[in-house]
Amino acid sequence: MKAEQRELFGESSPVSEAGLFVDLVFDRPLDQAYSYAVPDELTGQVAVGKRVLAPFGKGERATVGYCIRVGTSPPSRAVKAIRQVLDEDALLTPELLRLTRWMADYYLCAWGQVLNAVIPGAVRRQAGKRATVLLEPLAETELPPSPPTLTVKQEVALSSLRRIGRPVEARKLARSAGCGLGVVHELVSKGYARRVRTRVERWSADRDVLESSDQEHFELNADQLQAWQSIEQSMSAGGFQCFLLHGVTGSGKTEVYLRAIETVVSQGKQALVLVPEISLTPQTIQYFRGRYRDVAVLHSHLGSAERGGQWRRIAAGQAPVIVGARSAVFAPATRLGLVVIDEEHESSFKQETTPRYHARDVAIMRARMANIPVILGSATPSLESWHHAQNGMYQLLSLPSRVMDRPLPQVGLIDMRHEGMSRGRFHAISPSLERAIREALRSGGQIILLLNRRGFSTHIHCPACGHVSTCRFCDIALTYHRTRQVLLCHSCGYEKDPESRCPNCDKTSVLYQGLGTEKLQAEIEEKFPQTVVRRMDSDSMKKPGSHRQVLEAFRQGLVHILLGTQMIAKGLDFPNVTLVGVINADIGAHIPDFRAAERTFQLLSQVAGRAGRGPRGGKVLIQTFNPEQPSIALAAKHDYQTFVSVETGHRKLHQYPPFQRLVRIIVRGRDRAMAGLFADKLAAALNKMVPALGRSAGSVVRVLGPAEAPVFRLKGYFRFHLQLQSASSAALHQVLRATLPRLKPPSGVEYTVDVDPLTML
Ligand code: ADP
Ligand code: ZN
């Protein structure tokens, strides 16, 4: 037993000499396993991958632990006994146990924390199952020599029960035998049947399967065929291989995935498809269901009964195709043959709470462990994936043009330095964009307008003293939401009443400036009174199903102009959209984050890709104050390659990913000085460790900071951050592993470790 463990339990633990022992991990930041004895009455129930209750920590409170090993060799010291086994079936396959162990190592957190995050709450609670009592017939041999006689009705019920051949609910038996419940219960009291307690599924997949429709099969075009043949070759050779499918928007990437999925399914294996939550639209789901009647869909709006039911169905090997967002990477498929990650560049694949994993990277590791192929697809691959494809780690497949020889839409830039003002007032819509909208409407086309900022006014300030309304708890400006009549913090949700006089100088009335989607909607409705306008952002899409409703109305042509945040930029395939407008391409460009340009390029390319997907063609107009910015100018030319080479140059110069690996540590506390002090201590300790452990293959770990985080105050905490950089991920891990467990933050201060961070704020 380890020293820490001794501390936790004291020395007076009872000894168990023979029998079964288990190792448990707990949902605590302590990354180690603890040994326990298994009392005789539980030996039949324990298994790796189940949860048990065991005494743990101060006061030896019964605590849930995950069983990660079962064995007969007794630990070297006396151990306590577990108290209860919580699960009927193991929640985790051996494969998922290995994967989560790797995650704990890589993302520098505890295995128990990973397990707890990976298994949906619904599954842990056994949601979707209900306790019930079933009736089971006794075998002839179990009956007494002269059993009581039965009435005719009871005879009928008994023969029904025997014919069914498995335990059945009393209600169902009564129905199938055409008798009352009383008759059925008599079978028990007369000793012909017995009651068995069990749990049954409340949710069934049948409903979904019925929804599906048949979908046409396309002949693959030459590019698709070439991509597919490379994948097919690798699939028949077997083994792990990572493909990067780089295909422009509308190039038919999905069709290539489907071909690969078909092959895997026909071999009796399961395929896992990860898509960003935002693209998990009814349309996408329908696309897959059209091909495979049985598609298990996992997303965040599932009711817990369905979530639990789906999980168990997948675990039982019943779902051949599994489609889901980030956390679906942990779907308990036992016969996995292929993993697909669509829109691999999307930042929503990264989880921003512990464990801070990236589903793409976890999926690749899962495929590697299962020795199967994985396909990453994108029109704008992340620089990391592109880099790996360039150096041969991934195999690059290209779909350089749209299907059916459809051209990519023509993209025009509107320079807002010249076009933004008219009649002394700033307009969200420039005259050029306004003309284009009228033209599109006149010819019966539909329009998508992107403004990646919600609310009405985004900047509320006093012209006399310069005071800006910010959140009480965050260094973040408040946004005015007109519909709800509040000033709102988009970070922590703090809200207050709109103010008219400056709270600072009380001299003048404050100005409400800056453009959000609510204001854009008002301006559009004023300019185009005859048209139907719908807004899609997280404010207007709060009700479940509203997303689906709006998109369906848009599909049917009942909505002419769809405007919204990035929610509308991705994945939508509406052939009648002939115009896409970007209201302000510069949002996001000034964020202090080395990925800002990459994100701008991706967002503009994605939203431009919504135009001209049908035979009528289409165009895109982008309003910007910085038309020369490479991320904007090159997105307008659909020139990914040049953008990547420009951006790669910057990254190389500044030693950022993909050339260096990053780990970011955020220290936070309500007391500014204490948090700062601990950040200093942490930096000193890390720096001290570098000479011994921070070198690998010629690369040295650099420790940058501590510094105040760009958003210094967030949700009432003061935040400092540190960055560790190295070309070697191993060196980074060595330094951190040797340092972090020795440093305990003082009470009131905490820190998080973010490996391969995506956000730098
Ligand atoms: P991407 O994901 O690359 O943007 P999609 O997979 O959504 O593109 O395909 C765009 C459209 O083209 C879809 O409506 C799809 O049904 C259609 N499509 C795909 N492959 C073909 C093909 N070989 N021939 C004709 N249409 C195709
Ligand atoms: Zn706030």
Side-chain angles (χ1 to χ4, degrees):
M1 185 155 69
K2 299 222 171 94
E4 295 90 318
Q5 203 174 351
R6 228 161 18 232
E7 244 164 60
L8 285 164
F9 296 128
E11 289 287 347
S12 60
S13 314
V15 189
S16 180
E17 256 122 40
L20 221 48
F21 297 90
V22 290
D23 286 350
L24 305 182
V25 293
F26 296 93
D27 179 19
R28 300 288 149 84
L30 312 158
D31 195 19
Q32 68 193 100
Y34 299 87
S35 300
Y36 286 86
V38 181
D40 291 343
E41 68 273 19
L42 295 180
T43 51
Q45 294 176 39
V46 287
V48 170
K50 288 189 183 180
R51 293 165 314 151
V52 303
L53 276 183
F56 183 72
K58 281 205 197 88
E60 311 212 327
R61 236 171 298 133
T63 307
V64 178
Y66 291 85
C67 177
I68 52 149
R69 201 185 66 88
V70 178
T72 50
S73 53
S76 54
R77 296 191 62 97
V79 293
K80 293 254 167 188
I82 61 167
R83 294 185 186 159
Q84 195 187 332
V85 177
L86 292 172
D87 301 308
E88 287 168 36
D89 305 305
L91 298 177
L92 290 146
T93 58
E95 194 200 8
L96 280 176
L97 279 165
R98 257 180 85 202
L99 185 69
T100 49
R101 176 66 258 178
W102 170 81
M103 285 174 67
D105 288 336
Y106 186 79
Y107 292 108
L108 295 158
C109 56
W111 195 1
Q113 288 177 308
V114 178
L115 291 177
N116 213 46
V118 155
I119 301 167
V123 173
R124 276 183 263 138
R125 290 190 307 272
Q126 296 211 20
K129 282 191 157 187
R130 60 188 163 84
T132 185
V133 179
L134 302 181
L135 295 186
E136 181 180 59
L138 268 70
E140 299 278 355
T141 53
E142 290 175 276
L143 297 179
S146 51
T149 47
L150 295 174
T151 64
V152 177
K153 279 191 174 172
Q154 289 164 357
E155 284 284 359
V156 173
L158 180 60
S159 64
S160 277
L161 181 60
R162 287 186 171 150
R163 211 173 40 244
I164 294 170
R166 59 184 159 77
V168 63
E169 280 180 89
R171 226 169 3 95
K172 282 200 183 139
L173 177 60
R175 210 181 313 134
S176 84
C179 63
L181 271 174
V183 175
V184 167
H185 290 307
E186 280 296 305
L187 292 181
V188 179
S189 52
K190 287 188 172 171
Y192 285 87
R194 65 174 146 241
R195 296 196 170 96
V196 282
R197 276 168 208 290
T198 183
R199 299 173 70 84
V200 294
E201 287 290 340
R202 215 164 51 190
W203 175 85
S204 115
D206 303 350
R207 202 167 30 104
D208 284 339
V209 176
L210 291 178
E211 262 181 40
S212 61
S213 62
D214 279 315
Q215 176 125 20
E216 53 183 321
H217 242 91
F218 298 102
E219 285 284 317
L220 294 185
N221 64 31
D223 293 329
Q224 286 172 318
L225 198 61
Q226 202 179 6
W228 161 232
Q229 280 167 348
S230 302
I231 298 170
E232 190 182 28
Q233 246 173 34
S234 149
M235 283 172 99
S236 49
F240 168 77
Q241 169 74 273
C242 183
F243 295 95
L244 177 61
L245 179 60
H246 175 218
V248 299
T249 54
S251 60
K253 294 184 284 294
T254 315
E255 213 46 46
V256 177
Y257 308 148
L258 286 171
R259 214 43 84 92
I261 294 167
E262 235 154 64
T263 306
V264 164
V265 171
S266 72
Q267 294 164 348
K269 291 185 264 184
Q270 293 168 293
L272 172 62
V273 182
L274 301 183
V275 302
E277 181 83 41
I278 213 167
S279 359
L280 206 52
T281 56
Q283 202 182 346
T284 316
I285 297 166
Q286 201 54 32
Y287 205 92
F288 284 94
R289 291 229 162 105
R291 286 299 174 77
Y292 311 100
R293 301 215 143 244
D294 195 359
V295 177
V297 180
L298 300 171
H299 58 80
S300 61
H301 303 304
L302 287 188
S304 57
E306 182 171 2
R307 183 178 295 273
Q310 291 281 27
W311 176 277
R312 286 183 290 271
R313 217 159 68 79
I314 294 165
Q318 286 166 4
V321 181
I322 305 145
V323 180
R326 183 174 64 223
S327 62
V329 70
F330 306 114
T334 46
R335 296 178 287 110
L336 202 57
L338 171 75
V339 184
V340 172
I341 301 132
D342 192 26
E343 312 287 0
E344 67 84 28
H345 63 277
E346 271 290 316
S347 52
S348 66
F349 283 125
K350 168 95 174 170
Q351 171 149 308
E352 295 296 355
T353 53
T354 307
R356 295 167 177 266
Y357 68 92
H358 198 301
R360 175 194 59 215
D361 301 335
V362 174
I364 292 171
M365 184 46 73
R366 186 167 181 183
R368 188 186 283 279
M369 287 176 170
N371 213 22
I372 57 171
V374 50
I375 308 173
L376 317 182
S378 175
T380 51
S382 62
L383 255 71
E384 285 83 355
S385 295
W386 185 255
H387 186 68
H388 293 322
Q390 294 303 308
N391 64 24
M393 256 170 73
Y394 301 168
Q395 189 178 336
L396 183 65
L397 309 169
S398 299
L399 304 179
S401 39
R402 285 189 160 178
V403 296
M404 317 277 280
D405 295 321
R406 277 177 204 141
L408 279 165
Q410 211 190 74
V411 183
L413 294 178
I414 298 174
D415 188 340
M416 293 303 272
R417 290 171 301 195
H418 308 309
E419 281 217 38
M421 301 295 285
S422 87
R423 279 166 258 129
R425 187 180 139 199
F426 183 81
H427 290 264
I429 308 283
S430 63
S432 309
L433 182 56
E434 187 175 333
R435 267 196 306 279
I437 294 175
R438 287 195 194 288
E439 209 169 290
L441 289 172
R442 202 165 32 242
S443 59
Q446 287 171 289
I447 296 149
I448 288 180
L449 296 177
L450 170 75
L451 176 62
N452 208 8
R453 196 166 270 177
R454 62 197 176 90
F456 194 85
S457 308
T458 56
H459 189 72
I460 298 122
H461 69 118
C462 168
C465 74
H467 172 83
V468 175
S469 295
T470 53
C471 176
R472 245 181 90 181
F473 306 106
C474 311
D475 290 336
I476 285 176
L478 295 174
T479 299
Y480 170 53
H481 286 248
R482 193 169 72 171
T483 323
R484 293 185 44 214
Q485 281 299 319
V486 288
L487 299 182
L488 183 69
C489 171
H490 285 182
S491 175
C492 72
Y494 166 79
E495 47 186 73
K496 66 185 210 183
D497 290 338
E499 46 210 19
S500 50
R501 297 198 71 77
C502 175
N504 187 43
C505 67
D506 199 39
K507 276 204 203 91
T508 45
S509 45
V510 293
L511 291 178
Y512 282 64
Q513 290 180 327
L515 178 67
T517 44
E518 275 188 357
K519 196 193 279 184
L520 175 66
Q521 182 176 14
E523 186 171 326
I524 296 278
E525 281 169 349
E526 186 191 306
K527 280 187 169 142
F528 306 96
Q530 308 301 331
T531 55
V532 184
V533 181
R534 284 286 177 279
R535 172 165 59 91
M536 259 174 82
D537 54 29
S538 50
D539 299 313
S540 66
M541 294 291 119
K542 279 217 171 83
K543 259 197 293 181
S546 45
H547 196 244
R548 183 184 193 138
Q549 257 169 24
V550 172
L551 291 182
E552 195 44 44
F554 194 58
R555 164 168 315 285
Q556 291 175 13
L558 303 174
V559 172
H560 306 121
I561 301 180
L562 181 64
L563 67 89
T565 54
Q566 53 174 331
M567 230 178 236
I568 59 164
K570 317 207 169 158
L572 305 182
D573 186 11
F574 295 110
N576 196 40
V577 171
T578 56
L579 175 66
V580 165
V582 177
I583 304 303
N584 181 357
D586 309 319
I587 293 175
H590 309 297
I591 292 175
D593 185 329
F594 67 91
R595 284 195 182 84
E598 184 181 4
R599 290 212 186 95
T600 298
F601 182 88
Q602 286 165 346
L603 183 62
L604 295 179
S605 305
Q606 291 298 331
V607 73
R610 302 312 110 215
R613 293 175 77 92
R616 311 174 53 169
K619 70 171 176 179
V620 182
L621 288 172
I622 298 177
Q623 301 189 145
T624 171
F625 288 91
N626 302 283
E628 302 86 16
Q629 273 285 318
S631 55
I632 294 172
L634 293 167
K637 290 190 193 150
H638 307 291
D639 190 352
Y640 175 78
Q641 314 270 353
T642 308
F643 174 73
V644 181
S645 62
V646 171
E647 188 58 20
T648 300
H650 285 300
R651 300 281 181 93
K652 198 164 194 168
L653 187 69
H654 299 289
Q655 294 292 297
Y656 276 125
F659 298 97
Q660 298 259 306
R661 310 296 286 260
L662 284 187
V663 176
R664 183 176 183 232
I665 302 178
I666 299 172
V667 177
R668 63 171 206 175
R670 301 212 182 259
D671 184 302
R672 178 183 176 145
M674 267 171 62
L677 216 59
F678 182 71
D680 288 337
K681 256 174 103 171
L682 202 54
L686 288 164
N687 273 312
K688 218 165 127 194
M689 212 52 91
V690 168
L693 295 173
R695 290 165 201 280
S696 167
S699 166
V700 183
V701 171
R702 285 208 300 159
V703 182
L704 306 176
E708 293 181 1
V711 179
F712 183 39
R713 220 160 59 92
L714 191 68
K715 301 181 185 177
Y717 290 94
F718 292 96
R719 304 160 75 240
F720 294 87
H721 70 163
L722 288 157
Q723 264 181 43
L724 281 79
Q725 291 185 336
S726 171
S728 154
S729 146
L732 282 174
H733 278 84
Q734 277 167 28
V735 169
L736 287 160
R737 250 185 241 126
T739 315
L740 297 180
R742 299 183 184 187
L743 273 177
K744 292 266 166 293
S747 127
V749 177
E750 53 195 23
Y751 72 88
T752 54
V753 181
D754 194 354
V755 178
D756 303 331
L758 278 193
T759 137
M760 309 305 288
L761 296 182

